C-alpha cells in the first residue's frame, strides 16, 4: 500500500521530492531565525559605523588640532637635531606665522562688529545688569587668582636660594622699565578714549620721559627734571575700541527705527566675519603644528633654564592648574548647577589654539564659534561678553605676575611686608585689565607691580626667558575664564527670561479673568455698563487698573 504524508493538512503520496519538501519545511524556522540574527548583527554594525562616523565628523577639527600639537612636538624634536640656521628656522616657522597673521587680521572686525551688534541687541536694562555681573565676575576671579599666586609663591619660595642667579649667568639681555606706576594707570585711562579711532586700530598711547633743564644749583651744575611726554606705540588699542563699540551699540539701540538699518549692517558684517573664522579654523591644525615645532627648534639651553627657574615654572603652572581646574569650574557649578567639564569639553579647539598661540585675542574667533555652536550660548551674550573678557579678564596673567613679583623679591633677599603684599594683589588685579592679549604681554605689567612696591626691574629678563613656557598655561586659563563667564551669564539670562515669561502668562490670565468679570457685570448693572463704556475710550485707564 502506498505511503502518504501530510503537508499543511493535505495528504500527499510519498516520494523523494515530497520528503525533501518536508525536510525544508522543518528547517525553515531555523533558517529564518539565523537570517533575523544576521540582520540584527548587520544593523548593529551599521549603527556603530554611523555613530563612529558621526563622532568623527563632529569632532574632526578637535582631533586634527590635538594631533597637530603632538605632531608639532615630534617634528620640532626631529628638526632641532639638524642644526638649522636662523634663516632656515624662520622659513620653518612660516606656516605658523601665517596662522597668527590670519587670526590677528580677523580680530578688529570681529571685536567691533560683535560688540556693536551684541550691545544693540540687548535692551539697556539687561545690558546694565549683564555688564555689572560680568565686571563683578572678572574682578572677583582675578582677585582670587592673584591670591593663589601670592600664596603659592610664599609656600614654594621659588626665589629662595637662587640669589646667585642673574641675567648674565644665563646669557640674557637685561630688560628694564623706568615707567612710573601712576603714569601706567593714567595711560590705561587715556587708551580708553583714543583721540583717533583709525589710529587705535594699530597704535596705543604710552608715556615716555625726557630730561629737561630747569636751572643750576649753587655749584653751577645744570639741574634736570624728568618730564612725561605722550608717544604712540605699535599695537592695537583694543581697550579703546571695545569701549567705543559698546557705547556705539547702545546709541544705535536708543535711536530705535532710525538705527535699525545700521544694526542690520553690523549683524550681517558679524555673520560674514564668523564665516571667515570657520574657514580659518580648518587651517589651525596645520599652523599649530609648525608654531609648536618652531618654538621647540628655537629653544636654546632648556636644561639650564629649567634647572635654574624650575621652581618658578612649577609654581606658575601649579597655580594655573588650581585656578583653571578647580576654582573656575567650582564657580561655574555654583551658579549653574551643571557639570563644568561637559561645558569645557566643547572648547578643546580654542583651548588648544590658546596653548599654541599664547594669545587670548588670537583665540577669540574660534572661542566665539565653539561657545555658540558646541555649548549653545546665546549669540547676544557670547558676542558681547567674550570680546570684553579677552581684553580685561586675565586670571592666568594675574597668577604668574604675582608669583614673579614675589620671586624677584626673594631673589634680591627683600622681605615683603603686609602693605607690599596687599599692593601686589591690588596692582596685579587692576593692571591685568590693561594687559595686552598678545604673547609676552604680561611682562610689561610685571614692571608696573615691581615699581609699585619699589623692587628692581632689571631681573625681568629672567621672566622673559621662560615666558614661552608659562605663557601657554596662562593663556589657557585666561580664555577658560572668559568662556565660563559667558556660560554663567547665559544661564542667568535664561532664568530671567523664564521669570519674565511666567509673569507675562500670569498677567495674561489676570486680564482674561478681569474681562470676563466686566462682561458679567455689564449684563446685570446699567451703572457698571455706563462706566465700562466710558473706560472703553480710555485704554490707559483699563491697563492701569489691571
Amino acid at each position: 500500500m502506498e505511503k502518504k504524508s501530510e503537508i499543511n493538512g493535505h495528504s500527499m503520496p510519498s516520494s523523494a521530492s515530497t520528503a525533501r519538501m518536508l525536510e525544508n519545511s522543518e528547517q525553515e524556522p531555523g533558517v529564518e531565525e539565523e537570517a533575523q540574527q544576521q540582520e540584527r548583527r548587520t544593523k548593529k554594525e551599521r549603527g556603530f559605523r554611523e555613530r563612529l562616523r558621526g563622532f568623527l565628523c563632529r569632532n574632526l577639527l578637535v582631533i586634527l588640532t590635538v594631533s597637530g600639537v603632538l605632531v608639532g612636538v615630534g617634528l620640532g624634536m626631529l628638526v632641532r637635531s639638524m642644526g638649522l640656521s636662523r634663516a632656515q628656522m624662520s622659513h620653518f616657522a612660516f606656516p605658523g606665522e601665517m596662522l597668527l597673521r590670519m587670526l590677528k587680521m580677523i580680530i578688529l572686525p570681529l571685536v567691533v562688529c560683535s560688540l556693536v551688534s551684541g550691545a544693540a541687541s540687548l535692551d539697556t536694562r539687561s545690558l546694565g545688569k549683564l555688564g555689572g555681573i560680568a565686571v563683578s565676575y572678572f574682578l572677583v576671579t582675578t582677585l582670587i587668582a592673584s591670591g593663589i599666586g601670592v600664596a603659592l609663591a610664599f609656600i614654594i619660595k621659588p626665589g629662595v636660594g637662587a640669589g646667585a642667579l642673574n641675567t648674565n649667568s644665563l646669557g640674557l639681555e637685561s630688560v628694564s622699565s623706568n615707567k612710573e606706576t601712576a603714569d601706567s594707570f593714567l595711560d590705561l585711562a587715556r587708551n580708553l578714549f583714543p583721540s583717533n579711532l583709525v589710529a587705535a586700530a594699530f597704535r596705543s598711547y604710552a608715556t615716555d620721559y625726557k630730561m629737561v633743564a630747569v636751572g643750576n644749583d649753587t655749584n653751577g651744575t645744570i639741574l634736570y627734571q624728568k618730564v612725561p611726554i605722550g608717544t604712540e606705540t605699535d599695537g592695537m588699542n583694543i581697550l579703546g575700541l571695545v569701549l567705543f563699540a559698546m557705547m556705539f551699540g547702545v546709541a544705535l539701540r536708543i535711536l530705535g527705527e532710525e538705527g535699525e538699518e545700521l544694526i542690520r549692517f553690523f549683524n550681517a558684517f558679524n555673520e560674514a566675519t564668523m564665516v571667515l573664522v570657520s574657514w580659518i579654523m580648518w587651517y589651525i591644525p596645520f599652523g599649530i603644528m609648525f608654531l609648536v615645532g618652531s618654538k621647540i627648534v628655537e629653544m636654546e639651553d632648556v636644561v639650564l633654564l629649567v634647572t635654574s627657574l624650575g621652581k618658578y615654572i612649577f609654581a606658575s603652572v601649579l597655580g594655573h592648574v588650581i585656578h583653571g581646574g578647580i576654582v573656575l569650574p567650582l564657580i561655574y557649578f555654583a551658579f549653574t548647577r551643571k557639570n563644568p567639564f561637559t561645558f569645557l569639553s566643547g572648547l578643546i579647539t580654542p583651548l588648544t589654539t590658546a596653548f599654541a598661540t599664547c594669545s587670548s585675542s588670537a583665540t577669540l574667533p574660534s572661542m566665539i564659534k565653539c561657545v555658540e555652536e558646541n555649548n549653545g550660548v546665546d549669540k547676544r551674550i557670547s558676542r558681547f561678553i567674550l570680546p570684553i573678557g579677552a581684553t580685561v579678564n586675565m586670571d592666568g596673567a594675574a597668577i604668574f605676575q604675582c608669583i614673579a613679583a614675589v620671586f624677584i623679591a626673594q631673589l634680591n633677599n627683600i622681605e615683603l611686608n603686609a602693605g607690599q603684599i596687599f599692593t601686589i594683589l591690588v596692582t596685579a588685579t587692576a593692571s591685568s585689565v590693561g594687559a595686552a592679549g598678545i604673547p609676552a604681554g604680561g611682562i610689561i605689567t610685571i614692571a608696573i607691580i615691581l615699581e609699585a612696591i619699589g623692587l628692581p626691574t632689571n631681573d625681568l629678563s629672567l621672566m622673559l626667558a621662560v615666558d614661552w613656557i608659562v605663557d601657554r598655561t596662562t593663556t589657557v586659563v585666561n580664555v577658560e575664564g572668559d568662556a565660563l563667564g559667558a556660560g554663567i551669564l547665559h544661564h542667568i539670562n535664561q532664568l530671567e527670561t523664564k521669570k519674565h515669561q511666567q509673569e507675562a502668562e500670569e498677567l495674561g490670565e489676570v486680564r482674561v479673568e478681569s474681562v470676563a468679570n466686566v462682561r458679567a457685570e455689564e449684563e446685570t448693572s446699567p451703572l457698571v455698563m455706563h462706566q465700562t463704556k466710558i473706560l472703553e475710550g480710555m485704554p490707559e485707564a483699563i491697563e492701569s487698573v489691571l
Side-chain angles (χ1 to χ4, degrees):
M1 190 173 177
E2 187 180 0
K3 292 181 179 178
K4 293 187 178 180
S5 59
E6 291 186 358
I7 295 179
N8 295 332
H10 299 282
S11 60
M12 295 184 66
S14 178
S15 65
S17 60
T18 56
R20 282 196 298 273
M21 289 173 65
L22 283 170
E23 289 176 5
N24 290 338
S25 64
E26 290 173 359
Q27 291 176 358
E28 275 179 5
V31 171
E32 287 178 2
E33 196 172 321
E34 286 182 11
Q36 288 175 356
Q37 289 178 355
Q38 182 66 27
E39 188 178 352
R40 280 196 295 268
R41 280 197 297 269
T42 306
K43 283 183 179 178
K44 192 179 291 185
E45 289 175 2
R46 191 183 298 119
F48 173 75
R49 284 198 299 269
E50 287 176 358
R51 286 197 300 273
L52 181 61
R53 191 182 299 112
F55 173 81
L56 291 175
C57 289
R58 286 192 306 272
N59 299 283
L60 181 60
L61 188 59
V62 174
I63 295 168
L64 289 175
T65 305
V66 175
S67 302
V69 173
L70 299 176
V71 173
V73 171
L75 187 64
M77 298 300 291
L78 181 66
V79 175
R80 183 178 171 82
S81 60
M82 296 180 180
L84 299 182
S85 64
R86 291 284 181 182
Q88 290 171 329
M89 285 183 188
S90 66
H91 295 157
F92 178 70
F94 178 73
E97 180 190 351
M98 291 301 294
L99 173 62
L100 281 176
R101 295 179 74 88
M102 288 180 193
L103 292 172
K104 289 177 181 177
M105 172 190 71
I106 212 75
I107 289 171
L108 178 61
L110 184 66
V111 167
V112 172
C113 295
S114 63
L115 273 174
V116 170
S117 61
S121 63
L122 296 167
D123 63 87
T124 311
R125 189 181 66 176
S126 299
L127 186 66
K129 186 173 183 179
L130 290 174
I133 294 171
V135 170
S136 303
Y137 168 80
F138 292 152
L139 285 177
V140 169
T141 54
T142 306
L143 194 58
I144 292 172
S146 302
I148 291 172
V150 171
L152 284 176
F154 279 103
I155 292 169
I156 298 175
K157 298 180 179 178
V160 173
L165 181 66
N166 55 43
T167 297
N168 295 328
S169 65
L170 295 176
L172 304 172
E173 296 179 1
S174 62
V175 177
S176 62
S177 172
N178 60 349
K179 196 170 185 179
E180 300 290 338
T181 306
D183 287 328
S184 299
F185 285 104
L186 289 176
D187 286 352
L188 186 63
R190 291 185 184 107
N191 280 319
L192 276 172
F193 302 96
S195 59
N196 188 332
L197 275 176
V198 177
F202 52 88
R203 286 189 181 279
S204 300
Y205 184 94
T207 298
D208 200 358
Y209 302 94
K210 69 176 181 179
M211 303 305 292
V212 177
V214 292
N216 300 327
D217 62 2
T218 54
N219 297 326
T221 307
I222 300 175
L223 298 175
Y224 289 94
Q225 191 173 1
K226 188 168 71 170
V227 178
I229 56 171
T231 59
E232 299 286 336
T233 59
D234 289 335
M236 187 188 302
N237 180 7
I238 193 75
L239 206 58
L241 293 173
V242 161
L243 183 64
F244 171 78
M246 196 164 55
M247 293 298 101
F248 191 68
V250 173
L252 289 178
R253 174 80 181 187
I254 293 172
L255 275 179
E257 291 184 3
E258 294 179 7
E260 285 295 327
E261 291 185 8
L262 204 50
I263 291 172
R264 283 198 295 270
F265 165 76
F266 278 106
N267 286 337
F269 204 134
N270 198 17
E271 294 299 330
T273 306
M274 292 308 296
V275 172
L276 293 178
V277 169
S278 65
W279 293 346
I280 293 173
M281 284 180 71
W282 287 105
Y283 181 75
I284 285 177
F286 184 73
I288 276 182
M289 180 172 67
F290 285 92
L291 265 180
V292 175
S294 62
K295 189 56 68 176
I296 290 175
V297 172
E298 290 170 7
M299 292 188 305
E300 294 180 359
D301 198 342
V302 187
V303 176
L304 177 61
L305 279 178
V306 171
T307 52
S308 304
L309 299 168
K311 288 172 73 176
Y312 165 73
I313 296 170
F314 172 72
S316 299
V317 174
L318 180 61
H320 294 149
V321 170
I322 292 172
H323 191 70
I326 299 173
V327 176
L328 289 177
L330 280 178
I331 293 173
Y332 177 84
F333 178 77
F335 276 95
T336 65
R337 291 296 186 269
K338 296 177 183 176
N339 187 349
F341 298 103
T342 304
F343 185 90
L344 292 174
S345 65
L347 305 175
I348 295 175
T349 298
L351 293 178
T352 309
T353 306
F355 183 82
T357 61
C358 299
S359 172
S360 52
S361 297
T363 310
L364 181 61
S366 61
M367 178 60 77
I368 290 177
K369 187 171 179 62
C370 289
V371 160
E372 292 173 0
E373 293 183 359
N374 298 345
N375 293 325
V377 174
D378 191 338
K379 289 182 179 180
R380 296 173 300 170
I381 302 293
S382 63
R383 298 182 186 185
F384 174 69
I385 294 301
L386 289 177
I388 298 174
T391 309
V392 303
N393 186 35
M394 300 287 176
D395 295 354
I399 290 172
F400 98 87
Q401 286 163 11
C402 290
I403 292 174
V406 178
F407 167 76
I408 290 175
Q410 293 170 349
L411 195 68
N412 292 278
N413 296 317
I414 297 173
E415 288 288 334
L416 295 174
N417 56 40
Q420 288 175 312
I421 293 170
F422 179 75
T423 304
I424 290 174
L425 289 173
V426 174
T427 311
T429 303
S431 61
S432 65
V433 172
I438 57 172
I443 295 295
I444 302 165
T445 55
I446 296 177
I448 300 174
I449 299 171
L450 295 178
E451 289 285 349
I453 58 176
L455 289 179
T457 59
N458 55 347
D459 289 322
L460 277 177
S461 55
L462 297 174
M463 310 296 98
L464 199 57
V466 293
D467 188 66
W468 64 271
I469 300 174
V470 177
D471 205 16
R472 299 186 184 280
T473 52
T474 297
T475 311
V476 170
V477 174
N478 287 344
V479 300
E480 180 194 350
D482 300 342
L484 290 176
I488 291 171
L489 287 172
H490 174 68
H491 179 75
I492 293 172
N493 187 56
Q494 279 186 323
L495 293 180
E496 288 290 324
T497 305
K498 287 179 182 177
K499 183 180 176 182
H500 289 315
Q501 286 176 349
Q502 288 175 355
E503 290 176 354
E505 288 173 2
E506 291 173 1
L507 187 60
E509 290 174 2
V510 171
R511 284 180 176 173
V512 170
E513 290 175 2
S514 301
V515 170
N517 292 336
V518 167
R519 287 179 178 173
E521 290 174 357
E522 281 178 356
E523 295 174 359
T524 56
S525 173
L527 180 60
V528 173
M529 184 183 295
H530 177 69
Q531 289 177 347
T532 52
K533 283 181 179 177
I534 294 172
L535 289 175
E536 279 176 3
M538 300 169 60
E540 294 86 358
I542 296 174
E543 287 180 6
S544 64
V545 170
L546 296 177

